[in-house]
Amino acid sequence: AELRVLLIDMVAAIQSRWPPSSGVELLLYVDDFTIMATGDPAEVIEKINRITSFTAHILEDVLKLEISVKKSVVTASSTSIAAAIAKTSPRRCLKPVRHAKLLGTATTAGARRCTRVLQSRLTNFKKASRAMFVFPFSFACCNAHVLPD
């Protein structure tokens, strides 16, 4: 909750510079911050780079927080756009990926359908379900009604 309070002013500052009508949307959940932008590729690359630079400045220089380089990723409707954003990112803290997790669910940008997380869950369930049928089990239900003395 304390982090969220610290970041309220940052989100307000970003929204005042890049309002939702400019094709920019922000998502803040606990310690995950997502920036989404729409438009033509050159415009999106420029927007994302400006916003990430502004955000990194506030987080690192003003609030003295650390940005996780391992978890900072960019996904786009094409891999070339994601690579261009990562390459031209002023702080070089973004890694281009095809798929990412957003709040524990699979996400991707644009025309792709993201099934990676669901496929891994299905594989894990199949492995677990085999183990369920290896051991026979019994089920019993007992209802007891206690009569008053």
Side-chain angles (χ1 to χ4, degrees):
E2 181 182 337
L3 181 63
R4 191 170 180 88
V5 170
L6 286 173
L7 298 181
I8 288 173
D9 290 336
M10 180 189 75
V11 171
I14 294 170
Q15 286 180 330
S16 69
R17 291 177 183 219
W18 296 279
S21 61
S22 69
V24 173
E25 291 186 44
L26 307 173
L27 176 64
L28 174 63
Y29 186 78
V30 187
D31 64 344
D32 291 334
F33 186 62
T34 303
I35 303 165
M36 298 171 275
T38 58
D40 67 32
E43 184 182 336
V44 167
I45 292 168
E46 181 187 353
K47 276 186 214 176
I48 292 292
N49 283 334
R50 284 182 180 211
I51 297 168
T52 54
S53 178
F54 181 74
T55 303
H57 164 70
I58 292 174
L59 291 173
E60 293 179 332
D61 302 335
V62 177
L63 298 175
K64 306 295 185 201
L65 297 173
E66 182 182 348
I67 297 173
S68 172
V69 178
K70 288 182 180 180
K71 294 182 181 180
S72 298
V73 297
V74 60
T75 181
S77 54
S78 73
T79 54
S80 60
I81 295 171
I85 290 170
K87 184 178 178 181
T88 59
S89 175
R91 302 239 179 176
R92 302 274 192 250
C93 62
L94 298 173
K95 181 175 72 171
V97 295
R98 288 183 183 216
H99 306 279
K101 274 190 172 182
L102 180 63
L103 305 178
T105 56
T107 186
T108 187
R112 264 187 229 91
R113 192 171 62 110
C114 193
T115 59
R116 178 172 287 179
V117 172
L118 293 176
Q119 287 296 332
S120 69
R121 287 180 183 166
L122 183 61
T123 302
N124 291 339
F125 176 76
K126 284 181 180 179
K127 288 177 187 175
S129 67
R130 281 188 218 125
M132 282 187 236
F133 294 111
V134 170
F135 302 106
F137 61 93
S138 299
F139 177 77
C141 181
C142 179
N143 290 327
H145 181 74
V146 179
L147 297 172
D149 288 337

